[in-house]
Amino acid sequence: KTENFIIASIILLASSIVFPDHQVVSIVIVCGYAISVFLNRLAVLDKRAHSRKSYYIDQTINWCIFISAIMIIYFRDPDLFNFPRFWAEDGKFFYAHFFNNRDWIELFRAWEYYRILHNFTAFFTVRWISLENAPLAFTIVSAMVTVLPVAIVTFGKSICWNTPFKKIIIVSLYFLVPFSQENWLNLNGTSYTLTFVSLLILLANVNHKSRWMYRSYLLLAGLTGLLSCLFIPLFGLRAWL
């Protein structure tokens, strides 16, 4: 606004010097300038409105993809939620161990290698949830990890998924991978999912909003399975470049 006022004053001064006997010319020039400023302002507002509209459309699509993914996770095998179970080491090792050993120091116990997700899930499930509902707690935690790649693709930014079409393709391929009881919605399979999470973060654009969230995902992945740690040289190379 100040800039426009200064420019209008300069135009008035210049025109009064050049056309001292024709004030109408000065008025016409200033009016022309005012109209151009007004039209430019309308164009900016229209662009902002279009950008805002586009933003809301993109967010709606993102949420539709994300909610659809949650529904796929459930309907892929509803029995895992309706009739939950412990799978292999989830119950035999982790739940049984923390059921019989409830000291806080047990959170740092390593099983072949350290598995923070397994330890914390079993430890707090034993303390807060009944044995009857414990398998469901394990399943829900596994489902939350399973949806992480979808969240990164739908709400994150990357040249690899910068359009709704690319996001739908990536999420579809993620769910089209054949699954088995060995790796679907159990804690044992989360290390593979977190490895994929690490790969997606490696490909993603990081900003001040996502930086600490991505760091927490990488910390969880690195302390849950060994496969994610294989990406450390690539993350170092990306940071260096």
Side-chain angles (χ1 to χ4, degrees):
K1 293 180 179 180
T2 303
E3 180 183 7
N4 293 332
F5 177 78
I6 293 174
I7 293 175
S9 300
I10 293 174
I11 292 174
L12 279 175
L13 179 62
S15 61
S16 62
I17 294 173
V18 177
F19 307 103
D21 299 325
H22 300 83
Q23 298 299 323
V24 175
V25 175
S26 301
I27 295 173
V28 170
I29 294 175
V30 172
C31 289
Y33 174 74
I35 291 172
S36 67
V37 171
F38 177 73
L39 292 176
N40 182 65
R41 180 63 177 172
L42 287 180
V44 171
L45 291 175
D46 183 67
K47 184 177 180 181
R48 288 180 180 176
H50 177 75
S51 177
R52 191 180 298 112
K53 181 179 179 181
S54 177
Y55 170 79
Y56 287 128
I57 291 174
D58 288 343
Q59 287 300 307
T60 301
I61 294 174
N62 291 341
W63 277 105
C64 287
I65 296 173
F66 186 72
I67 294 173
S68 298
I70 294 176
M71 294 175 64
I72 291 172
I73 290 173
Y74 175 79
F75 287 107
R76 198 174 195 182
D77 196 346
D79 286 346
L80 294 181
F81 293 92
N82 299 329
F83 309 101
R85 83 289 183 252
F86 284 125
W87 178 258
E89 292 89 346
D90 289 1
K92 183 179 180 181
F93 291 159
F94 295 103
Y95 188 86
H97 175 80
F98 286 100
F99 188 84
N100 296 309
N101 302 272
R102 305 196 179 196
D103 293 335
W104 288 91
I105 194 64
E106 296 296 326
L107 283 171
F108 302 99
R109 172 179 286 274
W111 308 79
E112 296 104 11
Y113 50 87
Y114 187 60
R115 307 182 193 183
I116 189 172
L117 183 65
H118 303 61
N119 285 6
F120 273 71
T121 300
F123 182 83
F124 289 105
T125 298
V126 165
R127 284 176 171 263
W128 296 343
I129 300 174
S130 65
L131 175 59
E132 180 183 2
N133 294 318
L136 179 60
F138 275 53
T139 301
I140 291 175
V141 170
S142 302
M144 292 172 63
V145 173
T146 301
V147 83
L148 282 182
V150 180
I152 293 173
V153 171
T154 52
F155 299 113
K157 297 183 181 301
S158 171
I159 192 174
C160 298
W161 54 81
N162 55 2
T163 65
F165 178 74
K166 290 181 180 179
K167 293 179 180 182
I168 293 172
I169 291 297
I170 294 174
V171 172
S172 299
L173 291 175
Y174 173 58
F175 285 115
L176 285 174
V177 173
F179 76 98
S180 67
Q181 297 293 334
E182 291 285 345
N183 56 29
W184 182 249
L185 295 188
N186 60 67
L187 293 183
N188 278 338
T190 55
S191 60
Y192 304 107
T193 304
L194 289 172
T195 301
F196 185 48
V197 167
S198 301
L199 175 62
L200 291 176
I201 294 175
L202 184 63
L203 299 174
N205 298 335
V206 181
N207 53 39
H208 68 282
K209 293 182 179 179
S210 61
R211 181 178 294 114
W212 285 103
M213 181 176 64
Y214 285 167
R215 286 175 178 174
S216 65
Y217 291 167
L218 291 174
L219 181 64
L220 176 65
L223 293 176
T224 298
L226 295 175
L227 294 177
S228 298
C229 299
L230 298 177
F231 290 109
I232 290 177
L234 297 179
F235 278 102
L237 180 62
R238 174 177 171 173
W240 182 65
L241 295 176

